[in-house]
């Protein structure tokens, strides 16, 4: 019998209403997440990549029910959590945490680091008093900070150190799933590597599963087991990291990978320049969402939305002409 995935997402949608007119009627929708499907196994890292505004962060927050989904199903350890009430979701928060993109904005400047990390321990009645302090000190040391740092405030730390505090807060409740929402994009390159290595060490130690959201394909390749490529609210390709980087099948993935710099100056690489701008998620194109910028488009692409299908070996792609081309 196949093991149940830690997380399963089916036909997930999040459409934000646009209000207008005197009576603030709904005059349209922003199709931020538009019918996506994927699974995340226990102990796995799934990278979610794409251009800014494609719906990556909205996907992560909708899965955690920080934003309510418009339609679809979210299953965690075989339990449908899509419509759980607030009290049931509060209990489930111990299992699902998030690391935010901006390590300064996500930390309360009026609270000490000890209070920030210890707050979830008190809310969920796990520890208080001296026991809480011991837990906080241990968490700080796990992420490469000192126990005495719990007396300090967020402004006394560098960006990389603040992100370590955010990671310690996410770890406080011993979760099984952590959504990493661009956790290194605001950091210097040298600090990015340190934080990525820390996340990998913590995953090995605690058996964590990550949904790793990023736009930097080099970072995603380093940490992910599988990679999903998102465009205009839809996942257009999903494969193992090795397969995706060596054998991209969707034209959008090809274009993204062609822009990744190679450290060897003797290697010549053909850059694929996409024409035009990303269409508005308020009025996405009919048929394949990517056809307005695609170098391989045909008549069918303008009229029929391609099926997201497995072309073999767990390599999924939404394209009318792949892998035949």
């Amino acid at each position: 019998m196949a093991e149940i995935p830690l997380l399963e997402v089916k036909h997930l949608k999040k459409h934000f209403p646009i209000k207008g007119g005197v009576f603030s009627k709904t005059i349209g929708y922003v199709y931020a997440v538009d019918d996506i499907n994927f699974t995340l196994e226990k102990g796995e890292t799934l990278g979610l990549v794409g251009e800014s505004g494609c719906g990556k962060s909205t996907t992560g927050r909708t899965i955690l029910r920080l934003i309510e989904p418009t339609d679809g199903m979210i299953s965690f350890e075989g339990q449908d959590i899509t419509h759980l009430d607030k009290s049931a979701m509060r209990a489930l928060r111990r299992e699902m945490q998030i690391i935010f993109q901006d390590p300064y904005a996500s930390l309360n400047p009026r609270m000490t680091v000890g209070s920030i990390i210890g707050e979830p321990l008190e809310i969920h009645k796990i520890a208080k008093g001296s026991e809480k302090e011991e837990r906080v000190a241990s968490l700080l040391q796990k992420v490469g900070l000192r126990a005495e740092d719990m007396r300090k405030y967020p402004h006394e730390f560098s960006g990389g150190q603040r992100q370590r505090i955010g990671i310690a807060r996410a770890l406080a409740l011993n979760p099984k799933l952590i959504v990493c929402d661009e956790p290194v994009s605001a950091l210097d390159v040298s600090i990015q590597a340190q934080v990525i290595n820390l996340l990998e060490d913590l995953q090995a130690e605690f058996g964590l599963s990550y949904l790793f959201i990023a736009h930097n394909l080099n970072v995603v390749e380093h940490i992910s087991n599988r990679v999903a490529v998102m465009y205009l609210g839809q996942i257009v390709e999903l494969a193992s990291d090795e397969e995706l980087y060596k054998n991209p099948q969707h034209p959008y993935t090809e274009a993204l990978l062609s822009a990744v710099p190679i450290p060897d100056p003797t290697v010549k690489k053909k850059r694929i320049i996409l024409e035009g701008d990303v269409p508005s998620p308020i009025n996405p194109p009919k048929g394949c969402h990517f056809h307005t910028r695609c170098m391989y488009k045909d008549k069918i692409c303008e009229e029929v939305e391609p099926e997201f299908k497995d072309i073999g070996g767990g390599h999924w792609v939404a394209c009318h002409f792949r892998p035949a081309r």
Side-chain angles (χ1 to χ4, degrees):
M1 185 175 176
E3 190 176 351
I4 296 171
L6 180 72
L7 177 71
E8 186 173 13
V9 173
K10 289 184 178 179
H11 305 295
L12 184 65
K13 297 180 182 180
K14 180 57 190 176
H15 301 163
F16 293 98
I18 302 168
K19 304 290 185 179
V22 178
F23 300 104
S24 293
K25 290 185 177 179
T26 300
I27 57 173
Y29 290 92
V30 176
Y31 297 94
V33 178
D34 199 21
D35 196 4
I36 65 171
N37 301 273
F38 65 86
T39 59
L40 178 64
E41 303 297 332
K42 293 173 184 175
E44 182 188 29
T45 300
L46 176 66
L48 187 60
V49 301
E51 292 168 293
S52 296
C54 70
K56 305 185 299 294
S57 293
T58 303
T59 297
R61 294 174 189 223
T62 305
I63 286 167
L64 297 180
R65 296 273 309 278
L66 299 176
I67 301 172
E68 291 299 325
T70 302
D71 199 6
M73 189 271 288
I74 306 158
S75 172
F76 184 78
E77 292 191 313
Q79 178 190 8
D80 186 348
I81 67 168
T82 320
H83 304 293
L84 289 184
D85 59 27
K86 286 186 177 179
S87 61
M89 273 308 300
R90 184 171 178 174
L92 195 65
R93 295 271 178 237
R94 292 178 61 167
E95 311 286 353
M96 310 163 71
Q97 291 290 306
I98 185 169
I99 300 167
F100 293 99
Q101 177 178 357
D102 187 341
Y104 192 68
S106 65
L107 303 176
N108 189 333
R110 293 186 176 89
M111 292 173 70
T112 64
V113 167
S115 298
I116 289 169
I117 298 171
E119 187 177 39
L121 296 172
E122 288 199 3
I123 289 172
H124 290 272
K125 297 181 172 60
I126 294 171
K128 59 182 180 179
S130 60
E131 186 186 354
K132 183 186 80 171
E133 283 209 2
E134 286 174 15
R135 290 282 292 271
V136 170
S138 174
L139 285 164
L140 284 169
Q141 289 166 344
K142 288 280 185 195
V143 299
L145 297 173
R146 299 173 304 169
E148 51 266 35
D149 288 335
M150 71 171 74
R151 313 290 177 207
K152 297 180 180 178
Y153 288 86
H155 73 269
E156 298 179 69
F157 296 89
S158 67
Q161 289 173 325
R162 284 197 286 263
Q163 195 59 289
R164 289 172 186 268
I165 294 165
I167 293 169
R169 178 178 57 186
L171 281 175
L173 298 174
N174 294 322
K176 294 175 182 173
L177 168 67
I178 297 181
V179 173
C180 305
D181 186 8
E182 304 226 23
V184 297
S185 63
L187 307 177
D188 292 340
V189 175
S190 60
I191 306 301
Q192 285 184 10
Q194 293 176 20
V195 173
I196 291 295
N197 290 335
L198 172 64
L199 288 170
E200 289 185 319
D201 292 342
L202 293 170
Q203 182 176 41
E205 184 175 351
F206 297 108
L208 299 167
S209 298
Y210 294 141
L211 177 63
F212 193 92
I213 297 165
H215 60 264
N216 185 327
L217 277 84
N218 279 331
V219 170
V220 170
E221 182 182 19
H222 183 76
I223 195 172
S224 301
N225 303 110
R226 290 186 300 145
V227 180
V229 180
M230 200 164 179
Y231 182 80
L232 209 62
Q234 297 182 333
I235 292 177
V236 296
E237 188 163 7
L238 171 63
S240 70
D241 61 330
E242 187 176 349
E243 170 70 10
L244 188 98
Y245 282 77
K246 285 185 177 178
N247 185 30
Q249 288 296 315
H250 197 279
Y252 179 59
T253 311
E254 278 187 63
L256 286 181
L257 291 175
S258 77
V260 175
I262 295 176
D264 186 349
T266 63
V267 176
K268 298 293 182 184
K269 194 173 185 181
K270 184 183 177 185
R271 175 76 192 273
I272 300 171
I273 306 295
L274 295 176
E275 296 180 359
D277 297 320
V278 180
S280 169
I282 297 171
N283 186 28
K286 186 184 174 186
C288 174
H289 283 186
F290 187 64
H291 83 258
T292 58
R293 304 170 77 195
C294 183
M295 49 280 196
Y296 305 127
K297 67 180 178 184
D298 206 341
K299 190 72 175 173
I300 190 173
C301 306
E302 300 175 11
E303 298 170 355
V304 181
E305 186 173 331
E307 179 189 357
F308 187 58
K309 58 184 182 294
D310 188 347
I311 59 172
H315 192 151
W316 294 74
V317 64
C319 181
H320 288 296
F321 300 109
R322 296 304 176 96
R325 190 180 298 279

